[in-house]
Amino acid sequence: LVNLAVEDDGKGIASEAAFRAMANVGPGDKALAPAFVKLLDHKNGHVQYVAMEKCGLLRSKEALPKMIKGLKSIDKNANGKDAEWRIRGLIVGLGKYGKDGLPELLKLYKGTSDDIVRRFALGTIQAIDDKESLPQFMEIVRNKNEDLKIKSVAIQMVGKLGAKENMPELMEIYKGEKNDVAQYNLIEAVGNSKSETAIPFLQEILSKDLDESNRAGAAHALEKVGGPKAIQILEDALKK
């Protein structure tokens, strides 16, 4: 399949069919993980992308440190399609590791002063789509001494993966949060719950908070919650 995939520079019918076949590999195909690990060093960027994506999907323990190393030593001067495929592969693949990859990504972010690597590490964390990682993200949100960028991303991820079940704690954390960026992200995360029980919390911010961004965030959050009560509050706010 790999040989077919790279024929005609990946532009032929056989090549397209081969890539489609590799894309059909699912989470249950654990026995194929070693084959994809071998492809991590393939010279073709598209093949590397598929290998990284599948290693993440299959949660290959052997591939994880190699991919973290690849993100850490990313070539900032590389360009062209192959380089683009590799970068996308690292982000998508590591994102699929979910809770298993998050500690390594956090370690990478905090252990480097390279702004490009830090940016890609954050982008990869944002690509995580695994509800099992929620407890890890909530631990970050609770930490008052956490790096602001990491904390902001963690709040966004809680809003994305589990806003409803964590909404009461998010509202409580908001009360003690002093940073305006984190406050805004908490408001947005509460809005993602789309729960009417969030309405009094959001209404108070909309009517009493002195920060204009927070008020705008509360209005947006109420819009996401929706329903007659939220709409009425927004209409009343417009009349003032």
Side-chain angles (χ1 to χ4, degrees), residues 95-109:
K96 287 186 180 295
Y97 274 94
K99 68 181 182 66
D100 296 331
L102 182 55
E104 293 300 322
L105 288 165
L106 291 171
K107 191 187 301 182
L108 174 61
Y109 176 88

Side-chain angles (χ1 to χ4, degrees), residues 21-217:
M22 286 191 283
N24 286 332
V25 171
D29 299 317
K30 301 287 187 184
L32 293 175
F36 285 111
V37 172
K38 289 180 181 178
L39 293 175
L40 291 175
D41 297 319
H42 198 280
K43 63 181 180 181
N44 181 281
H46 195 173
V47 172
Q48 282 190 335
Y49 171 89
V50 173
M52 292 171 186
E53 191 266 338
K54 295 308 174 188
C55 281
L57 183 69
L58 299 171
R59 303 282 179 95
S60 166
K61 292 182 179 179
E62 183 182 356
L64 180 57
K66 292 184 177 182
M67 291 168 66
I68 289 289
K69 185 178 179 181
L71 193 61
K72 186 176 182 179
S73 59
I74 203 161
D75 186 352
K76 294 170 260 321
N77 299 313
N79 50 48
K81 281 292 181 184
D82 277 341
E84 184 181 330
W85 277 117
R86 289 185 188 102
I87 292 171
R88 286 173 59 193
L90 285 165
I91 292 174
V92 171
L94 286 167
K96 287 186 180 295
Y97 274 94
K99 68 181 182 66
D100 296 331
L102 182 55
E104 293 300 322
L105 288 165
L106 291 171
K107 191 187 301 182
L108 174 61
Y109 176 88
K110 294 177 179 181
T112 181
S113 58
D114 189 315
D115 288 338
I116 300 295
V117 173
R118 284 163 70 93
R119 179 161 59 85
F120 278 122
L122 280 180
T124 305
I125 291 170
Q126 288 174 303
I128 291 174
D129 190 15
D130 173 20
K131 289 202 73 168
E132 290 184 358
S133 62
L134 264 172
Q136 290 167 294
F137 283 122
M138 279 304 299
E139 281 299 314
I140 295 170
V141 174
R142 294 183 190 110
N143 185 354
K144 294 181 179 180
N145 300 315
E146 186 58 81
D147 175 274
L148 179 58
K149 288 184 178 179
I150 286 286
K151 189 169 187 174
S152 295
V153 167
I155 295 169
Q156 290 167 15
M157 294 306 294
V158 171
K160 170 185 170 184
L161 299 172
K164 194 166 187 176
E165 56 264 47
N166 291 287
M167 184 188 63
E169 186 172 1
L170 291 175
M171 292 191 294
E172 194 62 33
I173 290 171
Y174 175 87
K175 294 176 184 177
E177 181 57 61
K178 303 300 181 186
N179 183 274
D180 54 355
V181 175
Q183 285 178 343
Y184 181 86
N185 286 324
L186 284 162
I187 293 167
E188 286 283 291
V190 169
N192 283 339
S193 70
K194 298 182 180 178
S195 171
E196 289 194 352
T197 56
I199 290 177
F201 168 78
L202 297 171
Q203 183 180 17
E204 184 172 2
I205 294 171
L206 182 62
S207 61
K208 297 180 181 179
D209 201 297
L210 299 177
D211 189 295
E212 186 177 348
S213 294
N214 285 351
R215 294 198 303 274

